[in-house]
Amino acid sequence: MSVCVSPPLSLPISQEDVPNIALLGSGGGERAAVGMLGSLHQLAQDNLLGSLLYMCGVSGTTWCMSSLYSDPDWSLNKRCDEVIKKLKGPTVGLKKAVDWLKQWKDSDQDFTLTNFWGAFTASYFMKEMDTRRLSDDAHRNSTNPYPIYSAIELNRNKQHCTEAVWFEMTPHESGFSGLGAFVPTSCFRSQFEDGIMTEKRKEMDMVLLQGVCGSAIADRQMDTAYVGKKIWHVLFEGQDSMMLKENMNMVGGSRKVEVCECVPSQVVWCVSELMVNAEDPDPLKTWKVITTLRQLLEGHVSSKGEMLWNMDSESWKRTSLEERKKFIETVSLELILTSDSWTKDWKDQRCTCNGSIWWIVQNIFPLLIKWEWGTTCNFLFKFQDTRVPKWMADQEKIHLVDAALKMNSPYPPILRTSRKVDLIISLDFSKEDPFETVFSAKQYADELKLHFPPVKESVREEKDHPQDCYVFEGRCPEEPTIMHMPLFNLRNCKGEEEIKEEREKYKTFQLHYGVPMIEHLLEKAKANMRNNRDRILEQIIMAVQRRKNRKSVAQ
């Protein structure tokens, strides 16, 4: 792969002295995706983008990357602007997302919540369904930084493993960074036994890749009930819901809606109305909805749903607001999680909603009970090699999820000695302690005996009021220098209080940002790059010297 320093830098160096520079983007949901876009936009403006050899992401940053790399020459044109424009635009239609889900469910036996999460992320946050495959990029002669996407193996992470947990995906190969075990990306997800492919399976596309890389909820820190209600809210509740945009018609100039007459849509509407009005002091408002639900669901509900028939209007009026809220929460959640029990036998001829709502209710919400994420074939299954742990070779399947659950920045792939990285530019979009990623990376490097520069523990004292850039210098040619840049800092914010307000404003788990929030966040990220252009240039020049020193040591 060829690489060149962008001509405007005008550094008089030979090709062999060009340093290997990696840009790392941390996780942070939409905050990280927008922050990464703003940073890249400014790097391009300052003629620094061409100096990057690698671009690595976890979680939300990978959402941004997957959209950018749909253009084989994005670093040379206005692709950043196009992705930003899409972020500010409308979500992808629900039917298109469901059609993608149907195709995967019909063709893939490992259909899990990750498939849904990928469709949701792509359509709701990034607002495009890109079905190209990662391996397609392997055949492009591009000047873009080489992309590295990251995930972790869920079960190994729960056991606090280090060596066989971090999983990287590139256009050419995918596998465990710590083990040094890889398979061609075009064959990733296929079935292997002792290193021999026994069944070729469908390669993941970029939508599914976003689901794998962004599935931070997979570790159950948020319980099933919370996740179920959040998904329900985004799909079905309020004037901004995906169901409303796809399957309901606004009546005249009013904010009233006409709901499809099919039973699943009517039930969805009733449950949504109950959840929205759970805190209304007027008991009659929710009782009318409960009455409708009883008529719709008679004979189609499970044990907790029977609560609907054990309540009469007079008893409902006498209950306290807290008791009504508890009742509504219990019944609603039961109906959400057992939706297959009240939809499987209905064939409603009145359905005008293209089946999207019905399909989601029948096929997605039951997966919340199973709570399975990122299931794929283990290419190391029964692999006979002493370097592969026995417990790994014994697993026919592995489960890949958001790498931020292990470390919220993609250091492991870049710390591989074979990549010989001289300079790491670390963009930290974390909501909490912006130094946690650095210390986690140092611990990882220490455990695997990899080169990593010294980081003073005292820097943690600045976590609530960080500077805009920290430089952790390598002590020898093999040890990379790290430029660590927190998103919100004392330079682009007016003091610690504003930093706190910005962190609170841009939560990781929330509905997609409006246009003003996106524009504000883009400017914060751009300012970081703009303010540190000279420091980046200085470190690039120093990296050139380290590259020369590395070469002289090798000789």
Side-chain angles (χ1 to χ4, degrees):
M1 180 180 186
S2 62
V3 63
C4 62
V5 176
S6 183
L9 294 183
S10 300
L11 298 180
I13 58 176
S14 63
Q15 181 71 29
E16 60 185 6
D17 291 332
V18 174
N20 290 349
I21 303 174
L23 181 70
L24 274 56
S26 81
E30 188 174 6
R31 179 183 63 251
V34 175
M36 191 66 161
L37 281 169
S39 302
L40 291 169
H41 186 279
Q42 191 60 46
L43 284 172
Q45 291 291 309
D46 292 335
N47 298 312
L48 292 172
L49 196 55
S51 65
L52 304 177
L53 177 58
Y54 298 110
M55 182 152 70
C56 316
V58 299
S59 199
T61 300
T62 63
W63 303 350
C64 157
M65 290 171 58
S66 63
S67 291
L68 284 175
Y69 281 87
S70 62
D71 185 331
D73 296 308
W74 69 263
S75 60
L76 300 178
N77 54 38
K78 301 293 185 181
R79 178 58 180 163
C80 266
D81 293 334
E82 294 173 3
V83 176
I84 290 171
K85 184 178 180 180
K86 281 194 174 183
L87 286 179
K88 298 176 182 178
T91 58
V92 172
L94 184 61
K95 183 180 184 302
K96 188 171 184 179
V98 170
D99 285 346
W100 180 90
L101 285 167
K102 287 179 178 178
Q103 290 177 9
W104 273 94
K105 190 173 189 298
D106 292 342
S107 65
D108 188 21
Q109 55 189 282
D110 292 324
F111 186 83
T112 68
L113 282 169
T114 301
N115 295 78
F116 168 76
W117 199 249
F120 172 65
T121 297
S123 61
Y124 186 74
F125 288 110
M126 300 312 297
K127 297 163 184 179
E128 64 176 345
M129 302 286 289
D130 184 359
T131 56
R132 84 181 196 285
R133 300 166 301 179
L134 179 57
S135 65
D136 293 343
D137 292 347
H139 309 295
R140 295 177 174 179
N141 181 19
S142 176
T143 57
N144 297 331
Y146 191 67
I148 304 175
Y149 300 83
S150 291
I152 57 170
E153 209 292 313
L154 180 62
N155 294 327
R156 301 287 78 78
N157 187 54
K158 288 179 178 178
Q159 296 169 5
H160 306 290
C161 295
T162 298
E163 193 175 40
V165 63
W166 199 276
F167 197 94
E168 64 177 80
M169 293 161 282
T170 74
H172 293 86
E173 62 181 15
S174 297
F176 293 96
S177 306
L179 287 177
F182 298 90
V183 69
T185 296
S186 59
C187 300
F188 173 51
R189 298 190 79 254
S190 294
Q191 193 167 359
F192 284 80
E193 188 169 325
D194 194 18
I196 299 173
M197 185 190 298
T198 57
E199 180 184 341
K200 184 74 170 75
R201 293 193 178 180
K202 185 178 180 180
E203 182 185 346
M204 73 166 67
D205 60 17
M206 302 310 289
V207 176
L208 183 54
L209 182 68
Q210 289 179 69
V212 169
C213 294
S215 53
I217 63 175
D219 72 337
R220 280 195 179 274
Q221 286 187 4
M222 291 178 286
D223 62 29
T224 303
Y226 175 85
V227 174
K229 286 188 287 186
K230 279 292 184 183
I231 295 174
W232 187 276
H233 175 76
V234 170
L235 290 173
F236 302 127
E237 291 181 23
Q239 298 295 333
D240 197 40
S241 71
M242 296 181 76
M243 181 182 77
L244 178 63
K245 293 176 180 178
E246 184 75 9
N247 297 306
M248 295 184 177
N249 299 310
M250 302 302 294
V251 179
S254 71
R255 301 300 290 173
K256 295 181 180 180
V257 296
E258 290 180 348
V259 186
C260 174
E261 293 185 1
C262 70
V263 175
S265 291
Q266 292 290 326
V267 173
V268 165
W269 180 84
C270 286
V271 173
S272 298
E273 283 293 292
L274 283 179
M275 295 171 72
V276 168
N277 296 299
E279 298 188 26
D280 194 301
D282 182 6
L284 291 179
K285 184 175 290 187
T286 46
W287 179 251
K288 290 179 181 178
V289 181
I290 289 173
T291 301
T292 303
L293 265 180
R294 289 166 65 167
Q295 295 170 350
L296 290 168
L297 293 173
E298 187 169 5
H300 292 276
V301 295
S302 59
S303 57
K304 290 184 181 178
E306 294 291 346
M307 295 170 63
L308 288 169
W309 284 269
N310 296 332
M311 179 68 70
D312 58 73
S313 60
E314 292 303 315
S315 298
W316 187 252
K317 292 177 185 178
R318 291 194 299 269
T319 57
S320 67
L321 179 59
E322 285 302 315
E323 289 173 326
R324 292 199 300 273
K325 284 171 58 180
K326 182 64 176 176
F327 179 94
I328 288 172
E329 180 177 334
T330 302
V331 170
S332 298
L333 184 61
E334 181 69 12
L335 291 175
I336 290 172
L337 297 181
T338 61
S339 53
D340 55 337
S341 69
W342 51 265
T343 60
K344 61 184 178 183
D345 296 326
W346 283 336
K347 301 293 182 184
D348 202 319
Q349 300 301 315
R350 296 170 296 170
C351 183
T352 61
C353 64
N354 300 318
S356 296
I357 301 170
W358 195 343
W359 193 91
I360 288 177
V361 170
Q362 281 186 309
N363 295 278
I364 299 302
F365 281 101
L367 295 179
L368 291 170
I369 300 295
K370 192 176 181 182
W371 200 258
E372 183 179 351
W373 292 82
T375 304
T376 190
C377 294
N378 178 17
F379 68 89
L380 294 175
F381 180 54
K382 293 187 178 181
F383 192 70
Q384 303 297 316
D385 191 302
T386 55
R387 293 169 295 180
V388 177
K390 184 179 183 303
W391 47 259
M392 174 60 75
D394 288 342
Q395 303 299 314
E396 186 174 359
K397 302 280 186 177
I398 56 176
H399 302 273
L400 298 178
V401 297
D402 195 323
L405 297 173
K406 174 73 173 178
M407 185 192 310
N408 198 31
S409 194
Y411 280 92
I414 289 306
L415 293 178
R416 286 173 56 192
T417 55
S418 60
R419 290 204 161 109
K420 299 179 180 179
V421 172
D422 302 286
L423 176 62
I424 296 173
I425 302 174
S426 166
L427 307 182
D428 197 287
F429 307 116
S430 304
K431 181 179 182 295
E432 305 296 341
D433 183 355
F435 303 109
E436 182 60 37
T437 53
V438 179
F439 285 99
S440 294
K442 180 168 176 51
Q443 180 181 347
Y444 174 90
D446 290 345
E447 291 179 10
L448 294 187
K449 295 180 172 56
L450 301 170
H451 293 291
F452 201 87
V455 182
K456 292 183 179 179
E457 187 69 28
S458 59
V459 77
R460 287 186 183 273
E461 298 172 6
E462 300 180 28
K463 65 182 180 67
D464 295 325
H465 48 269
Q467 302 296 324
D468 59 339
C469 183
Y470 296 81
V471 177
F472 307 116
E473 292 190 12
R475 297 163 295 185
C476 62
E478 296 78 22
E479 200 168 80
T481 287
I482 297 173
M483 298 187 73
H484 186 68
M485 306 173 69
L487 174 60
F488 301 122
N489 52 72
L490 290 176
R491 193 165 183 185
N492 66 6
C493 295
K494 298 176 181 178
E496 183 174 325
E497 190 59 35
E498 185 179 339
I499 292 174
K500 181 179 179 182
E501 290 174 358
E502 295 285 11
R503 289 175 177 176
E504 188 61 32
K505 177 181 178 181
Y506 290 97
K507 294 182 175 69
T508 303
F509 298 102
Q510 68 180 68
L511 301 182
H512 63 75
Y513 304 152
V515 173
M517 287 183 68
I518 291 174
E519 291 178 344
H520 178 75
L521 187 56
L522 285 170
E523 185 50 43
K524 290 289 187 185
K526 290 177 184 179
N528 275 354
M529 296 295 102
R530 191 164 54 244
N531 294 337
N532 286 287
R533 180 180 185 272
D534 290 343
R535 296 188 72 178
I536 294 173
L537 278 172
E538 177 185 348
Q539 288 302 321
I540 289 176
I541 294 172
M542 294 177 67
V544 170
Q545 187 58 50
R546 280 196 300 277
R547 168 64 54 166
K548 290 180 178 179
N549 293 342
R550 185 197 294 262
K551 185 174 61 176
S552 63
V553 169
Q555 292 174 347

